[in-house]
Amino acid sequence: MIDGKLIQTVDVSRIKFRTNISKSILKELTVIAKENRTHVNYLLENGIINVLIKGSISYNKDLRPKDRVQYKTTYDKELLESLRWFAKEKNLFINDVIEYGVQFININDVKNKNYRYRIEQKE
């Protein structure tokens, strides 16, 4: 709020990112997001975080989905940098890690739809 008016600001901790993700996975996540009042990218972020925490990945490159479509969204800047490093370290593509992370989504830890409208108090 500035001078008693609510001002919309850009969340500088988020960065736009475009990748290719399985269309069937996106459809499934869209349903889950709607049921749980969240966004698909919040679900994906949660899965990525859990993969990074785990620190290991077992991915068969021969089983990559054939139905990948372009997906544009925003991610937490630090999370995306960690994801890039992790994918490079494991000799995988970023979208491989994102798709792998879907199986590790913990719906209880996912941000809700209104998270982007949060108001943070200045100290």
Side-chain angles (χ1 to χ4, degrees):
M1 296 194 80
I2 297 177
D3 295 328
K5 295 180 182 176
L6 195 58
I7 304 296
Q8 184 175 1
T9 61
V10 175
D11 190 345
V12 294
S13 69
R14 301 195 67 77
I15 188 166
K16 292 180 182 179
F17 185 70
R18 180 184 70 206
T19 190
N20 296 316
I21 298 179
S22 166
K23 189 175 184 177
S24 58
I25 289 175
L26 286 174
K27 283 177 79 173
E28 179 183 325
L29 291 177
T30 301
V31 171
I32 293 170
K34 192 173 273 191
E35 290 172 350
N36 292 281
R37 301 192 68 235
T38 190
H39 296 288
V40 171
N41 61 324
Y42 290 162
L43 293 170
L44 292 172
E45 282 185 345
N46 182 266
I48 293 166
I49 289 168
N50 290 329
V51 169
L52 295 177
I53 289 170
K54 185 178 172 195
S56 63
I57 186 169
S58 176
Y59 190 85
N60 185 343
K61 293 179 181 181
D62 295 330
L63 299 177
R64 285 185 172 129
K66 306 289 186 238
D67 67 337
R68 286 184 172 164
V69 294
Q70 191 175 86
Y71 181 69
K72 296 180 195 178
T73 189
T74 61
Y75 290 96
D76 178 81
K77 193 177 197 175
E78 290 180 17
L79 178 61
L80 189 56
E81 288 175 18
S82 297
L83 172 60
R84 283 186 171 131
W85 177 86
F86 184 82
K88 187 176 182 179
E89 185 76 18
K90 304 300 181 187
N91 202 23
L92 293 168
F93 294 122
I94 290 173
N95 53 349
D96 294 335
V97 180
I98 292 171
E99 289 171 342
Y100 180 79
V102 169
Q103 63 187 311
F104 297 102
I105 294 171
N106 180 348
I107 199 67
N108 297 323
D109 292 337
V110 175
K111 299 172 193 170
N112 75 17
K113 204 174 225 180
N114 294 327
Y115 180 80
R116 67 183 282 202
Y117 302 113
R118 72 195 181 280
I119 297 175
E120 296 180 4
Q121 300 296 323
K122 292 183 181 183
E123 296 178 26

